[in-house]
Amino acid sequence: MAIENVREYLKPFGLDGKIMEFDVSSATVALAAKALRTEEARIAKTLSLEAKNGGCILVVAAGDVRIDNHKFKEFFGFKAKMLSFDDVQTKTGHAAGGVCPFANPEGTMVWLDESLKRFETVFPACGSANSAIELTPETLFEISHALGFVDVCKPTVTE
């Protein structure tokens, strides 16, 4: 089970006991915010994208932003393409709704979007569709072994 892999992954950091599990789904930004009783923007959603080499790039971003195709291409050198639903678990180690930047397959590239820096703490998932952990962006950067902070997102347009 992916959440157990994440629990083991977080153990050396002393954070395995900080995982929150809910009786309700937290599989989407809106559901996670409701379960955590926080604003949607503080949900650290993990976007799963195809890497040029066929692998996976994970971009962890605030819940109120989305990929900016121009910025993504400018930074990575190719067009952003989300993983297909069928590839999500294979390439990230987690099912859709629980994708997170922890306990991923070797070679997975993790980047954190600058949008996370607006908050003192954020809430990424922990490998299941009903879990999260509260971390500072700096701690998230450290324990996810992120390659860096990037500016590849823009605000989500609401109508």
Side-chain angles (χ1 to χ4, degrees):
M1 197 168 164
I3 192 168
E4 293 308 322
N5 293 340
V6 171
R7 199 176 309 283
E8 285 302 310
Y9 178 93
L10 294 175
K11 196 175 277 187
F13 302 101
L15 296 171
D16 52 308
K18 302 282 187 187
I19 294 174
M20 296 174 271
E21 292 185 78
F22 314 110
D23 292 332
V24 296
S25 175
S26 59
T28 66
V29 169
L31 290 172
K34 187 174 180 182
L36 287 157
R37 296 186 176 116
T38 191
E39 61 185 298
E40 291 184 12
R42 288 186 61 208
I43 304 304
K45 64 182 175 183
T46 303
L47 304 167
S48 314
L49 301 126
E50 291 278 349
K52 203 171 189 178
N53 65 3
C56 178
I57 295 173
L58 298 179
V59 175
V60 185
D64 63 347
V65 301
R66 62 188 174 100
I67 291 291
D68 179 312
N69 290 317
H70 176 75
K71 288 180 179 181
F72 185 93
K73 187 172 184 178
E74 196 170 275
F75 184 83
F76 288 104
F78 57 94
K79 186 179 176 189
K81 181 180 178 207
M82 299 296 286
L83 290 180
S84 71
F85 183 83
D86 293 336
D87 285 342
V88 170
Q89 187 152 4
T90 304
K91 292 190 176 187
T92 69
H94 309 293
V99 176
C100 65
F102 317 120
N104 306 113
E106 190 172 328
T108 302
M109 296 170 276
V110 176
W111 294 87
L112 303 186
D113 189 73
E114 293 281 340
S115 60
L116 297 171
K117 289 184 174 181
R118 294 179 286 157
F119 305 102
E120 193 171 311
T121 61
V122 294
F123 298 94
C126 288
S128 71
N130 67 327
S131 64
I133 188 168
E134 184 174 13
L135 302 168
T136 65
E138 295 76 20
T139 300
L140 177 59
F141 178 83
E142 178 187 332
I143 67 174
S144 68
H145 304 293
L147 298 171
F149 276 92
V150 293
D151 179 15
V152 295
C153 291
K154 62 183 176 184
T156 300
V157 178
T158 55
E159 299 181 35

